[in-house]
Amino acid sequence: MSDRTQPTIYPETQFYWEGAKQGKLLLNACTPCGNKPFFPPRPFCPHCGSREVTVMQASGRGALHSFVISHLPAPGYEPPFTVAVVMLEEGVKMLTNIMNCPPDPDHLELDMPLELTFETRGDLKIPQFQPAKGGAA
Amino acid sequence: MSKAAIAIVGAAETTRMGKVPELSQTGLHADAALNAMAECGLTPADIDGIATAGHDAAEIAQYLGITPTWLDSTSVGGCSFILHVRHAAAAIATGLCKTVLITHGESGRSNNRAHRPLFPSMQQQEFESIYGPLFPPARFTLPVMRKMKDDGLTIEQLAMVAVVQREWAAFHPRATSHDPLTLDDVLSSKMIAWPFTKLMCCLVSDGGGALILTSAERAKDFPTKPVYLRGMGGESCEGPMISQMEDFTTSKAFRVSGKAAFESAGILHSDVDHLMLYDAFAHLPVYGLEDLGFVGKGEGGAFIAEGRTRPGAELPLNTNGGGLSYMHSGMYGMFALQEGVRQMRGTSPAQVKDAKLSVVHGVGGMFSGAATAVLTSEDQW
Ligand SMILES: [Zn+2]
């Protein structure tokens, strides 16, 4: 796992990775847009351009929006592995792998509930998702 | 009645394509450029505008001995050359230059190049690459499962894209792959990124192409049959993070670019005789047909699978065999343009009879950018 690529972290995204270290998935949200969250983080709203943004903690619940099962190499990954997009309960999409789930289409059904988990990678915790244990999201 | 303002007077591919280990990437640009200049009787001294992508236009200018008064290095992926056509038309129309050379060269297979033409995207790398989709087949394909569920697209329909395009490639002596394909061949080829098998993914080739544009007025002085631009085309982008595509079942960039091109040309879909839709992967012609409005949403897969784009059918699509069968250097948009030009000149080995209007639409990056050009053999309409 440790030879997986580490993200390059920039000043605007530091809070996101600090939050992840504490087991939180943090999103920016826009105040004028009614606290609408967006992704990836930036200090202004991509919908209206306002700089009035806050940091909110995502619930960690989401659903499998789409995926592929990659048979191609990637540092630290053992092909085949799943690359997926999770639709968070908050209405934003992000990339993830599907942890604790075989890379097999029979185990991956679109819209199945997913829950947040973390993968330790060096000093960092990488937000990841796995099939929800508690059933429906 | 409208009169054409801009014409393509030179169009050529590299002398060889596929495996060209004897040339560097710069050499592929130059080979294509020299071929295009030769066919229309020009030398580097006649070129005053230059555009390329994935490579510094200034280096190509210096290598060829061109002193331009206009440069464009717009590089938003494989459709960049279609944007260059549009930008060059605007530059010629506003007097910034008179004769534009657009070049493409890519040593995609032999890798005779200093660097890969990457499109640095900090957010894509920070929030997507870390999950392992380093290669296009594991990233460009990500929206497709969603489209299957929401729009009824099937794996068999995707496979039929490769089957039908191979029928077109069979006409082209220069195509990399000619042998007929069956649905089974495609479905049972090596798994690359489920549900995409190898034959649903593009080739990896060496090659290049070049175009020369000038005013329609000057075009009549050239030995080649001019191909005119109808309207100013279109371009747009959605961005390099595929996870942030607004809707996985449709490309916003395709819709915006296509709409602009059709409106500017003043054409209806029924006017289109020939269509090129950049196909790095089998799903792209499906999105292209739908997002450009040739079929309704969710109908693209069935349209191709039913054979309505195959040789002799109602909408000849990707008549060179596309990136799946003809060649794919990495930035394939130039080759879609070349086949559009051949069809309008009446010289394609897979010539569509009496074709007068061709739409060439390309994708850049992975649903990141898009551009559309409308080509015609007619100097007024
Ligand atoms: Zn806002």
Side-chain angles (χ1 to χ4, degrees):
Chain A
M1 290 267 184
S2 58
D3 41 350
R4 290 186 178 184
T5 310
Q6 296 276 7
T8 303
I9 298 170
Y10 298 101
E12 298 92 330
T13 56
Q14 196 113 34
F15 78 92
Y16 177 87
W17 296 106
E18 285 304 320
K21 277 184 192 168
Q22 296 159 32
K24 295 174 186 168
L25 178 60
L26 299 181
L27 302 174
N28 278 134
C30 172
T31 307
C33 284
N35 298 313
K36 184 181 171 139
F38 55 85
F39 190 84
R42 77 207 75 170
F44 61 90
C45 171
H47 306 292
C48 74
S50 169
R51 293 177 192 260
E52 274 184 69
V53 299
T54 56
V55 173
M56 63 175 278
Q57 184 177 351
S59 70
R61 289 187 292 271
L64 181 60
H65 192 65
S66 203
F67 70 94
V68 298
I69 299 169
S70 176
H71 292 245
L72 301 169
Y77 281 87
E78 185 82 25
F81 62 94
T82 306
V83 179
V85 175
V86 55
M87 176 69 85
L88 301 183
E89 194 175 60
E90 290 79 9
V92 302
K93 299 192 289 284
M94 60 182 285
L95 222 68
T96 184
N97 302 122
I98 305 296
M99 310 280 278
N100 304 311
C101 179
D104 175 347
D106 290 342
H107 289 84
L108 295 157
E109 195 183 333
L110 250 56
D111 300 315
M112 70 189 236
L114 300 175
E115 64 184 24
L116 179 66
T117 181
F118 289 90
E119 173 207 327
T120 301
R121 206 179 285 193
D123 297 343
L124 294 177
K125 301 266 190 204
I126 307 292
Q128 288 279 17
F129 283 80
Q130 64 186 8
K133 293 189 186 83
Chain B
M1 186 74 79
S2 297
K3 281 187 77 163
I6 307 294
I8 297 170
V9 294
E13 294 172 351
T14 43
T15 310
R16 298 202 317 112
M17 296 189 318
K19 254 195 249 183
V20 193
E22 70 276 16
L23 283 180
S24 66
Q25 181 158 300
T26 324
L28 291 165
H29 279 267
D31 182 46
L34 292 169
N35 286 344
M37 286 189 279
E39 75 150 12
C40 61
L42 297 182
T43 70
D46 301 311
I47 305 291
D48 61 356
I50 187 153
T52 194
H55 211 110
D56 181 3
E59 188 190 24
I60 302 304
Q62 185 174 52
Y63 197 56
L64 284 166
I66 289 167
T67 307
T69 60
W70 177 85
L71 292 103
D72 184 1
S73 273
T74 302
S75 198
V76 292
C79 65
S80 298
F81 314 101
I82 308 174
L83 281 89
H84 295 157
V85 166
R86 187 169 195 253
H87 299 178
I92 293 165
T94 51
L96 303 183
C97 54
K98 289 191 171 67
T99 312
V100 172
L101 170 68
I102 304 170
T103 70
H104 165 58
E106 196 164 354
S107 185
R109 188 179 176 113
S110 301
N111 213 24
N112 287 332
R113 52 184 167 183
H115 58 87
R116 278 182 58 77
L118 288 174
F119 311 100
S121 162
M122 289 160 61
Q123 296 207 311
Q124 199 281 324
Q125 287 171 14
E126 185 176 1
F127 294 102
E128 291 190 341
S129 298
I130 58 163
Y131 295 102
L134 302 186
F135 297 97
R139 201 162 114 210
F140 212 159
T141 51
L142 260 171
V144 172
M145 288 298 290
R146 188 78 246 168
K147 188 162 180 70
M148 287 183 172
K149 176 154 182 183
D150 290 1
D151 285 353
L153 177 67
T154 67
I155 295 177
E156 289 75 19
Q157 288 170 350
L158 282 175
M160 281 304 291
V161 173
V163 171
V164 171
Q165 290 194 188
R166 186 60 64 85
E167 295 175 13
W168 284 111
F171 291 94
H172 285 263
R174 279 167 61 84
T176 300
S177 308
H178 309 90
D179 296 342
L181 280 181
T182 65
L183 181 63
D184 241 26
D185 292 336
V186 181
L187 292 174
S188 62
S189 66
K190 190 179 170 214
M191 187 55 70
I192 301 292
W194 197 91
F196 281 74
T197 63
K198 188 169 185 208
L199 290 171
M200 299 179 201
C201 305
C202 65
L203 300 160
V204 180
S205 322
D206 301 327
L211 293 171
I212 296 169
L213 280 76
T214 191
S215 66
E217 212 180 339
R218 286 185 67 217
K220 308 225 163 22
D221 302 334
F222 288 85
T224 44
K225 177 174 155 52
V227 172
Y228 300 98
L229 303 188
R230 181 157 171 170
M232 291 302 280
E235 68 189 86
S236 191
C237 70
E238 186 158 10
M241 286 189 78
I242 197 147
S243 67
Q244 301 310 306
M245 241 180 126
E246 214 167 76
D247 180 341
F248 277 16
T249 66
T250 167
S251 161
K252 184 167 74 174
F254 280 19
R255 295 196 313 273
V256 171
S257 176
K259 185 165 184 282
F262 273 75
E263 283 180 3
S264 176
I267 55 167
L268 302 171
H269 293 89
S270 55
D271 298 327
V272 177
D273 301 313
H274 171 252
L275 177 62
M276 296 299 291
L277 294 170
Y278 187 141
D279 58 320
F281 294 93
H283 58 303
L284 291 163
V286 175
Y287 281 77
L289 282 172
E290 296 179 12
D291 291 337
L292 265 56
F294 285 94
V295 299
K297 187 155 181 296
E299 295 171 3
F303 190 81
I304 293 172
E306 287 164 9
R308 295 169 72 176
T309 62
R310 70 169 23 135
E314 64 197 88
L315 183 58
L317 167 64
N318 291 345
T319 54
N320 60 353
L324 299 179
S325 288
Y326 186 69
M327 78 88 72
H328 194 289
S329 51
M331 299 178 82
Y332 163 84
M334 175 57 81
F335 297 94
L337 284 164
Q338 294 287 337
E339 176 66 6
V341 169
R342 285 191 292 262
Q343 288 286 350
M344 293 302 95
R345 284 176 169 180
T347 60
S348 171
Q351 186 60 42
V352 174
K353 199 165 174 287
D354 301 327
K356 291 191 181 77
L357 194 80
S358 173
V359 170
V360 179
H361 174 81
V363 67
M366 298 171 217
F367 280 127
S368 179
T372 316
V374 180
L375 311 179
T376 176
S377 57
E378 299 179 312
D379 64 353
Q380 54 182 31
W381 48 86

